[in-house]
Amino acid sequence: MIPENISKEHVLQAIQDIDLNGVKDPLAKSRKYDLVFNNKSYPPKYTIALANQFANGEYLNHDGFNTYQAQDYLKNLGPEFVIKERVNDPIADLIVKYKKHVKEKGLHDELYKWKLLERFQGRPDVTKADFYEELKSIDFFNLIYPMGITVTHDLAKNRTEAFRECFKVLFNEEKPLAERIRYFNEETLKVYRELVPEEKFSHHQDERTIATYLTYHDPDKYTFYKDSFYQKGCKLLDIKAKPKGEKYVHYLELVEDFIREYIVGDQELLELVEPLIDSPDCFRDKNHKILAQDILYQTLDKQIGMERAYWRIGTTDGATSYWEEMKTNNKISIGWPALGDLADVDITSKKSIISLFNEKGSYKEDKRLLSRKAGEVFNFYSNVKPGDVVLAQEGASILGIGIVTDDYSFNDNYDFPHQKQVDWKIFHPKITNKEGLLTTVSKLSGMALIKQLNDLLMTNDNPSRTTTNRNTMESVPLNQIFYGPPGTGKTYDTINEAISIANPDFDLNQSRTMIKQEFDRLQKEGQIVFTTFHQSMSYEDFIEGIKPLKPNQEDRHIKYDVVPGIFKKICQDAKTPNLVGFDLAYEKLKDELTTTELLPLKTPTGKEFSISLNSNDNLTLHTGQNKEKQGTLTKENIQKQINGEEKFKGWEGYFKGVVDYLKSKYQYSENDNAAGKNYIVIIDEINRGNISQIFGELITLIEEDKRLGGKEALEVTLPYSRERFGVPSNIYLIGTMNTADRSVEALDTALRRRFNFVEMPPRPELLSPGRMYWDFLWKHQQEKRDNETFLRSESALFDLLGAGDNIKVNRKEIWNSFENGHPKNESRISLFPDSEFNGINLKDVLVAINRRVVKLLDKDHQIGHSYFMSVGSFDDLKIAFHSKIIPLLQEYFFGDFGKAGLVLGEGFFEPREEADSELFADFNGYEALEFADRPVYRIKDILHMENEDFKKVIDTLLRKKDV
């Protein structure tokens, strides 16, 4: 609390002190809010803490009050004291990214932390008789490095009592934390040296390990720690990181500040997270310590919301392969053991690594090689981050593709001791990579390769994707049509398919709102075009035509011009050269030079020279008639020339000549954003247009082998513009076709031959009661409905589905077992067995209707599951029948209520008028009575039926005997 005797004068004294001396307490710096006084900004907490020094003779510890108390106190001093939220607050940005991530993905990957703490909080118990078994029985998962766990078990087994005493001191809250950490680290090292005297081997009882012990023992007071996100957090806050041994104490102070200023008052954040950990098997985390760590870890280390990078990692030292070791231990690693543990050194840049190499006397004869190798080590240590994709390679062969899962560690038991944990996804894929050859750590930039990697990873992560199941983009048909009865999700899946082609990185397992936003973005940027064919669609609309121009005021006659249509325009966009980055262009140049002894080039002024490839993969310059060697054009210097970092007097023309060649031959560009783009034309109701008229001569050109660059590539001369035209190979055509449409019979045979047809039948299994409740929970989680809306909607759904007592009693348990994401597999759906519902089963309704329609018509006239997908109450179901299903059946049967009645049952119908023997006029030879007695029906007003009456109507449809 803030002492009451701090006055306005004391605050003014504090402000004056800040003006003179600045902010001397880094932990009290402003993060989210500023005090604005006389148009100058001051940190509210520091101002109050300093004011207390003037009022009471001592600086007020900022742990004793929170930022909101400071703000309220200052605002009450007068209108000249203004509290203003800071702009561009980097910590607030982390919170925004985290909340977006939780909304989309939940805590699926990190929930294990809360679960482990619920199981093991209060442990290790130092009073246990068998302390070895006590430690061995605790699952530390990946919160301690594997070698750290191994050492822990060894010490507990072979030096049990000495190790126990170390834990007793560590858990003794009467002593300062810094003292306990120092003691534990030093004493466990002494004990470890009794077992392993060699000093080169670490005992791995570092601050991360110690933090894990403390957090398990008392998770209300401590939280997990990693040096990687601590360092990144300090840089973000512009605070100097503490030295080894003092980091965890400093980190906890930052976490406390983070919780007070950003977490406690963020109701949206807490409402997002609390339902996800509201489970008997999850630690409650009432002080938000684990949440704070998760935010920092996921935003700073895993970099959620940020693009991932792609890296080539070599697996040999030239003589020995370390791949099996990397594969078995789920890691990537590099050599240079003499450098020691890089975490023990203040590594800020490549220069730090160069200094270490110089200390060890490495590469002293070759400064260029020294610089390059230092860059590789620095990249591995600092720039290869969790979430990045790594390719373990031997030469051009890719041995494994994985995702980095943890930050740097040093294991002196291995020849390749610098390591990072990896989740290996794919082994020995059928692709190769020549980019970054002869380097141990190389960042990849080739867009074609990255696209292949993303496709492989996407297929590996989700082999049962409803849209595609492929190993590479090349396996996706260039022309395909989704066909089926109305309401089977053709347009829905078309959108998914188009996104997966245009942006393979996009995660389709998220809310429909997010998917539609991505689709709209791709449409706006021109990668996706959506059109609908109809009877009036023409060649002029789709390919090109002569169109009148908007007249100017002075024009006396109408002017015309040749205007590209929908398809021609997107083909023109798709023909934009696939630009590539420098690394890929240079790799292509190296490949060319392996088969060419000398490559002749010219400087911008026309001076001739030649280049060859030397043993270091750099370029040797040759000039004159005898092609004499004049020196080396290194890759690094070419990049410096491009970036303007350095000028090479007398050599600029040679460098420029190489760059110009890269641009002309290999489409090198400093901006390679257009590289590898795919373009998609979606044609809804493709069967409704006159295909021969719309496509004209281009119907042949859309075939895969007739595309530009194909084996049988063709071009035609367009009739209006007289331009030569071909269809690029990165244009994808996706059509939809409603099989209930009578125009299907007239579908052009030429179109049938050139498209892959993908059937989209009704899927009644999506309407099982268990699936419906599962989808309801998913939708609630995505939309984050308030509790009242959720309960009201759930009650309506239970009324419709007739949820039995079993599901209601166990509802809490079912909700807790619901995991984030939207996995469509029966092992998860089985949590909600159909037997627990005793009311309307929409799956049965759809099956019954479609079995009857197939008998009366054919399978092409069934109705789709999507008509029921949004049903969540009786009112929704009434509207679905009234507005969609009944009108569709009337259209199918041309208004014949008899056949419609055979499908729906008599419950939906009522007589429109009574029999009337006097209805018809007399006409000789005709007996009118049989016509007069024939009943005439109309559809009941189901929209205003009571729910119980409507349920009886559905029962008649299902032929339930007790109705």
Side-chain angles (χ1 to χ4, degrees), residues 39 115 506:
N39 295 320
K115 291 183 177 182
F506 185 79

Side-chain angles (χ1 to χ4, degrees), residues 131-140 144 146-160 163 167 195 203 205 213:
F131 193 56
Y132 167 58
E133 284 299 326
E134 167 66 1
L135 277 169
K136 195 175 178 183
S137 66
I138 298 173
D139 182 5
F140 291 112
I144 299 176
M147 278 304 299
I149 293 175
T150 300
V151 170
T152 297
H153 292 166
D154 286 347
L155 289 173
K157 182 177 182 180
N158 298 297
R159 292 293 186 272
T160 308
F163 200 36
F167 275 95
L195 298 174
H203 72 320
Q205 302 299 297
Y213 294 149

Side-chain angles (χ1 to χ4, degrees), residues 598-614:
L598 286 175
L599 178 64
L601 299 176
K602 288 184 179 181
T603 68
T605 60
K607 183 177 180 180
E608 296 181 350
F609 69 99
S610 299
I611 57 173
S612 62
L613 189 67
N614 64 26

